[in-house]
Amino acid sequence: MSAASIEALAEALNVKPEVMAPGTPGRPQLARWTFSARCLPDRPLSDGALALALADFAVCGEGRNGRERWDVPRGTIAYVPAGVGGAWTFPEPVDCLQLYLPQDWLRRAAAQHGLDADKIRLRAGILPDDPFLTQGMQLLLATMKWPRGVAMFTSSLGLALALRLLVAHGDREHIAPVVARGGLPPHLLRRAQDYMDTNLATALTLDDVARQIGVSPRHFGRAFRQSVGLPPHQWLLRRRIDAARELLAAGDSPLAEVAMQCGFADQSHFTSTFRRATGTTPGRYRRDLRALSRSPGRRPVGSAGGASHLGARNRATGAMMDKLTLTEAEWRERLTPVQYQVLRQAGTERAFTGEYNGFKGDGVFACAACGLPLFDSADKYDSGSGWPSFTQPIAPDHVTDHDDSSHGMRRIENRCARCDSHLGHVFPDGPPPTGLRYCINSVSLAFEPR
């Protein structure tokens, strides 16, 4: 709402807003209205307005049953869309904060966050209790006392409140996110995956997840599959299997407890599903993992007993391998922030998001940090885990093994033998002939076609 429009409304009410942050034209405007009992002429708003009642008051107007009166308690949040007017009467003094959201600005802001504002219906009226909107408006009220920077802050916080309004209070039948070619917008995909990850133990439905990101279940199912290559229920099942692997590696929890924590109906359902997904039972998987960590032939580098069979000599060529040692500052300059976080800080990329998860090219996968050949595409297979998986390294001494007890689990970490960069982990649930699964982050790899 432009400053001129606010002035026109002030003239119609015969009152001047107590405080106002005019800001930049075309961006959210903030005004606090304080006036005694009076009538508001039928003057439609040029912009939608989010309003917070700062005191109890009442308003009278035309309703479904003729002339009606509505009591508005302090703290009430309401929304009045652009173009809505009416002859309203305020029989009691009013103290109200209003955030005006210009339609063009709202449309652009929504599009940048994957929403089509033109397809979301915001109805006039009092909104359900929403602490996010209430506290956001109260924070805006506090900023009116700031001598400078009010307009910029109003615009930034106004964006957050506008998006909350669209997603949480829009007519869901009309919510239609702008889907980039290939599926859901990245921020909605992350939100859906985060919600499923944190609720693995519950009986999630398609409706539950779709509701969290503000889309219809049908649209969510289709767009999610376009994004990750799997329908939501299959992705969720694989994440449950992944969580079960982590719990099995973490300790001696009873299988029934692991099944419950990962969202399986019971231990029998867990065992049969785990066997179909991995080719082994949960109990056997746990025993094999422990045997792998104790195996003399796979003794982790640096553990008691000295170096393992993964020595410094390149067995493919018979030559000694030149080690690459850089300072952390040099690594930061050499790698992207994501590569640094995974390769140098042992981070993990999100499942099913890596470049090489479903990749089927013919060639060699080298270390993204130093270029050492690590895996051959002939040894790559689809494990269903969400990360590139291999049955063996291209040469046994190009990948080193290390004990990893982080996150409360006992695992075998894989690193590049030349630069000591983190690659991933190895597990004992792979296919023949090795029976191993090298689960590697895509960001740790660089593909070199033959």
Side-chain angles (χ1 to χ4, degrees):
M1 192 167 183
S2 66
S5 298
I6 293 179
E7 290 176 3
L9 181 60
E11 183 179 352
L13 283 169
N14 193 25
V15 65
K16 183 177 180 179
E18 184 176 323
V19 286
M20 187 172 67
T24 304
R27 290 185 175 273
Q29 309 288 318
L30 187 64
R32 178 177 183 176
W33 300 91
T34 305
F35 52 85
S36 56
R38 67 194 61 212
C39 294
L40 175 66
D42 189 354
R43 183 187 294 271
L45 294 177
S46 59
D47 295 320
L50 187 63
L52 170 68
L54 301 177
D56 297 344
F57 64 88
V59 59
C60 301
E62 292 297 326
R64 294 181 178 179
N65 302 312
R67 195 72 177 171
E68 297 183 39
R69 171 186 168 120
W70 297 276
D71 291 319
V72 182
R74 178 182 179 181
T76 298
I77 286 280
Y79 180 72
V80 182
V84 173
W88 304 98
T89 300
F90 298 92
E92 302 169 357
V94 170
D95 189 359
C96 179
L97 181 68
Q98 292 191 330
L99 177 68
Y100 299 100
L101 305 171
Q103 287 299 101
D104 289 342
W105 173 87
L106 184 61
R107 190 178 296 111
R108 291 193 302 271
Q112 291 173 1
H113 289 76
L115 295 170
D116 188 343
D118 292 331
K119 295 183 179 180
I120 302 177
R121 180 182 300 169
L122 291 170
R123 302 180 185 275
I126 294 174
L127 301 177
D129 183 45
D130 188 329
F132 185 95
L133 291 180
T134 302
Q135 293 173 19
M137 291 292 283
Q138 290 172 343
L139 184 55
L140 283 177
L141 177 63
T143 67
M144 288 186 162
K145 300 177 182 179
W146 298 357
R148 296 181 180 179
V150 175
M152 182 179 295
F153 188 84
T154 300
S155 182
S156 299
L157 185 53
L159 172 61
L161 296 177
L163 293 175
R164 173 71 178 185
L165 182 67
L166 290 169
V167 172
H169 300 284
D171 188 334
R172 295 192 180 279
E173 294 181 0
H174 292 77
I175 292 181
V178 178
V179 179
R181 189 175 182 181
L184 288 169
H187 73 288
L188 292 184
L189 178 61
R190 286 195 301 272
R191 190 186 306 168
Q193 291 176 325
D194 286 344
Y195 180 75
M196 288 189 281
D197 273 337
T198 55
N199 291 277
L200 290 178
T202 63
L204 287 175
T205 66
L206 198 67
D207 286 0
D208 293 333
V209 186
R211 188 179 302 115
Q212 290 298 315
I213 64 173
V215 301
S216 70
R218 180 179 178 184
H219 171 76
F220 170 66
R222 182 177 64 252
F224 187 92
R225 183 167 189 165
Q226 289 177 328
S227 295
V228 304
L230 291 171
H233 71 279
Q234 288 187 12
W235 187 91
L236 182 60
L237 178 61
R238 293 190 179 189
R239 291 297 296 128
R240 283 175 168 151
I241 293 294
D242 235 19
R245 286 187 176 116
E246 294 178 357
L247 289 174
L248 291 170
D252 299 315
S253 299
L255 295 184
E257 183 178 327
V258 175
M260 180 183 67
Q261 291 184 37
C262 296
F264 295 97
D266 50 42
Q267 183 176 335
S268 176
H269 176 224
F270 169 46
T271 299
S272 61
T273 305
F274 192 90
R275 181 190 293 130
R276 285 197 302 271
T278 67
T280 187
T281 64
R284 179 64 182 272
Y285 175 86
R286 176 183 276 165
R287 291 192 296 273
D288 288 348
L289 188 62
R290 290 174 178 173
L292 176 65
S293 65
R294 294 192 299 264
S295 172
R298 297 197 58 81
R299 184 180 295 118
V301 172
S303 65
S308 74
H309 72 294
L310 302 174
R313 180 174 296 278
N314 185 331
R315 298 189 180 183
T317 64
M320 293 298 291
M321 184 183 301
D322 293 329
K323 301 288 288 186
L324 176 64
T325 304
L326 301 177
T327 66
E328 290 307 302
E330 290 172 327
W331 279 122
R332 287 183 183 275
E333 184 176 350
R334 184 186 185 105
L335 304 172
T336 67
V338 174
Q339 287 177 325
Y340 183 83
Q341 195 267 334
V342 174
L343 287 159
R344 305 308 305 175
Q345 296 183 317
T348 302
E349 65 191 8
R350 185 185 295 274
F352 300 101
T353 63
E355 179 182 0
Y356 299 122
N357 178 45
F359 185 76
K360 301 185 184 301
D362 180 28
V364 172
F365 293 88
C367 175
C370 70
L372 178 69
L374 299 175
F375 299 96
D376 193 298
S377 62
D379 299 315
K380 187 175 185 292
Y381 73 103
D382 182 8
S383 66
S385 65
W387 290 275
S389 299
F390 303 87
T391 57
Q392 61 187 354
I394 197 168
D397 51 354
H398 284 205
V399 176
T400 60
D401 294 354
H402 300 258
D403 280 324
D404 179 6
S405 58
S406 62
H407 308 295
M409 295 178 281
R410 296 191 298 270
R411 296 178 295 176
I412 302 299
E413 178 195 7
N414 297 137
R415 297 182 195 170
C416 171
R418 174 183 287 164
C419 65
D420 206 36
S421 290
H422 174 75
L423 304 175
H425 295 84
V426 60
F427 300 96
D429 57 2
T434 65
L436 300 176
R437 172 173 61 94
Y438 286 82
C439 186
I440 309 298
N441 291 285
S442 288
V443 74
S444 298
L445 303 173
F447 181 70
E448 301 172 1
R450 276 191 240 279

